[in-house]
Amino acid sequence: MKNFVVKTIANAGALGVAVWVLDKITLTGDSTGKKIGTLIVVALLFGLVNFLVKPLVQVLTFPLFILTLGLITLVVNALMLLLTSWLADKFDLSFHVEGFWTAVLGGLIISIVSWALHIVLPDED
């Protein structure tokens, strides 16, 4: 359970950095507390998308993974971020990613920040 909470916080932090760096990834809210709550819910959605959908997409794109020497991973991460944005819209959350290339940059930022946070934060269960 502790591992789940740590990973959710790391995802929320990574999403927060992406919102802060990129103008076309937006998170709106009345107060800072509301924005943090929305960010945590979006992090949970992002984790769920990465847990359920990403493995299937990775299996389907495995030949492209070999052909592009792994660069297709950037596209897969962008698609997972766009799917998270779409789901956030369906759940009436104020998180939006505008455009594919913004999602590619956002996915790259989220991957780097998540990796760095997972190194710093504890990883025991």
Side-chain angles (χ1 to χ4, degrees), residues 28-98:
T28 55
D30 299 339
S31 65
T32 303
K34 197 169 211 176
K35 287 181 182 179
I36 290 172
T38 301
L39 206 54
I40 290 172
V41 173
V42 170
L44 288 169
L45 273 176
F46 188 64
L48 190 65
V49 165
N50 280 326
F51 180 73
L52 296 176
V53 179
K54 190 173 183 178
L56 178 64
V57 172
Q58 285 178 329
V59 167
L60 294 174
T61 60
F62 185 70
L64 288 174
F65 182 83
I66 293 171
L67 187 66
T68 64
L69 301 175
L71 289 177
I72 193 71
T73 305
L74 292 172
V75 174
V76 170
N77 288 342
L79 293 174
M80 296 306 106
L81 189 56
L82 285 172
L83 180 59
T84 301
S85 175
W86 180 78
L87 285 171
D89 184 49
K90 295 300 175 191
F91 286 114
D92 202 27
L93 298 170
S94 60
F95 177 81
H96 182 68
V97 178
E98 185 180 320

Side-chain angles (χ1 to χ4, degrees), residues 102-116:
T102 302
V104 169
L105 285 173
L108 185 61
I109 291 169
I110 290 167
S111 296
I112 292 169
V113 173
S114 288
W115 170 77

